[in-house]
Amino acid sequence: DAKTTQPTSMDCAEGRAANLPCNHSTISGNEYVYWYRQIHSQGPQYIIHGLKNNETNEMASLIITEDRKSSTLILPHATLRDTAVYYCIVKSSSNTGKLIFGQGTTLQVKP
Amino acid sequence: NAGVTQTPKFQVLKTGQSMTLQCAQDMNHEYMSWYRQDPGMGLRLIHYSVGAGITDQGEVPNGYNVSRSTTEDFPLRLLSAAPSQTSVYFCASSKTGASTEKLFFGSGTQLSVL
């Protein structure tokens, strides 16, 4: 699975959009981009995933560049409860189940 | 809506002791896995299973054993605990482990080995 690079930390004002970048320059054609988050010491929580098209669900939007070498997770209206560590993970379609976590981005939402 | 249940939530062991961390899911998921998370680090895969009777090693399997006798349960055994195994342990499951499936995580077991 390709490696990912994320900023160590980011701040966002409450109510504003939080844009979390992720670089995955070595991604291959059959690899999906996943985002999970971990609030405090809880178990990670799935947010969204995509292959090459932009995706949106009730939690967030995922924008994947045309060359698929990077992506951005967008939380449209961040709240204090969105303060968490956000993990960007690339996973091969042939790699059953295994998620390789990096160190993620610590997002601090401030009032 | 129990989801993935881990027990115990906290455990303190002495070096050399053995114990089993329990993980159960009620979603009829074939795929189950164990991760550990050290302070300030991401999660690392220990072992995983794609169905009853089938297990395989992840990134950091040494010092841990697993078995999968039922679809619902996937216990993680520490045969002789070491201080290096002090960590938070998470169990996760998904329907089949396919790329398009999301993993459901338990709330974790915090283990300290003295």
Side-chain angles (χ1 to χ4, degrees):
Chain A
D1 294 338
K3 285 195 67 174
T4 62
T5 304
Q6 299 177 252
T8 302
S9 63
M10 294 181 63
D11 290 343
C12 177
E14 187 178 19
R16 303 297 293 268
N19 297 283
L20 291 89
C22 179
N23 285 324
H24 30 78
S25 58
T26 60
I27 194 170
S28 60
N30 67 345
E31 291 182 316
Y32 287 79
V33 179
Y34 276 79
W35 284 84
Y36 283 76
R37 73 180 182 183
Q38 188 174 24
I39 297 173
H40 194 43
S41 303
Q42 299 175 23
Q45 175 190 25
Y46 166 85
I47 301 173
I48 199 167
H49 75 279
L51 183 62
K52 51 185 174 182
N53 297 322
N54 297 339
E55 302 287 345
T56 296
N57 62 20
E58 65 279 4
M59 289 182 69
S61 294
L62 174 61
I63 309 298
I64 303 175
T65 57
E66 194 168 340
D67 63 6
R68 303 209 322 123
K69 293 182 184 296
S70 65
S71 60
T72 301
L73 177 75
I74 301 172
L75 308 178
H77 305 287
T79 71
L80 298 179
R81 288 177 294 182
D82 291 322
T83 292
V85 179
Y86 288 77
Y87 296 100
C88 170
I89 302 163
V90 170
K91 180 174 175 291
S92 168
S93 61
S94 61
N95 187 355
T96 304
K98 293 185 283 186
L99 290 179
I100 307 298
F101 286 79
Q103 294 200 350
T105 296
T106 299
L107 175 68
Q108 182 75 47
V109 180
K110 299 186 173 181
Chain B
N1 285 354
V4 179
T5 303
Q6 291 184 236
T7 56
K9 291 193 182 301
F10 302 95
Q11 182 70 49
V12 179
L13 293 177
K14 294 181 180 178
T15 298
Q17 286 186 314
S18 62
M19 81 157 295
T20 299
L21 307 186
Q22 302 292 344
C23 176
Q25 52 85 15
D26 62 358
M27 298 175 282
N28 200 30
H29 284 173
E30 293 293 328
Y31 180 85
M32 297 184 74
S33 56
W34 277 102
Y35 287 84
R36 63 176 286 176
Q37 185 174 32
D38 299 327
M41 304 286 289
L43 282 73
R44 291 185 292 169
L45 182 65
I46 305 172
H47 285 285
Y48 65 98
S49 168
V50 297
I54 306 169
T55 64
D56 207 346
Q57 296 181 350
E59 297 174 82
V60 288
N62 293 340
Y64 307 95
N65 278 358
V66 292
S67 59
R68 186 91 179 272
S69 56
T70 68
T71 299
E72 295 77 20
D73 301 297
F74 190 43
L76 179 72
R77 281 184 288 278
L78 284 72
L79 299 177
S80 178
S84 61
Q85 294 178 304
T86 293
S87 191
V88 181
Y89 292 83
F90 292 100
C91 180
S93 74
S94 70
K95 181 67 177 166
T96 66
S99 289
T100 54
E101 295 172 359
K102 57 185 178 183
L103 277 179
F104 293 83
F105 283 83
S107 56
T109 295
Q110 190 166 320
L111 176 68
S112 294
V113 183
L114 307 177

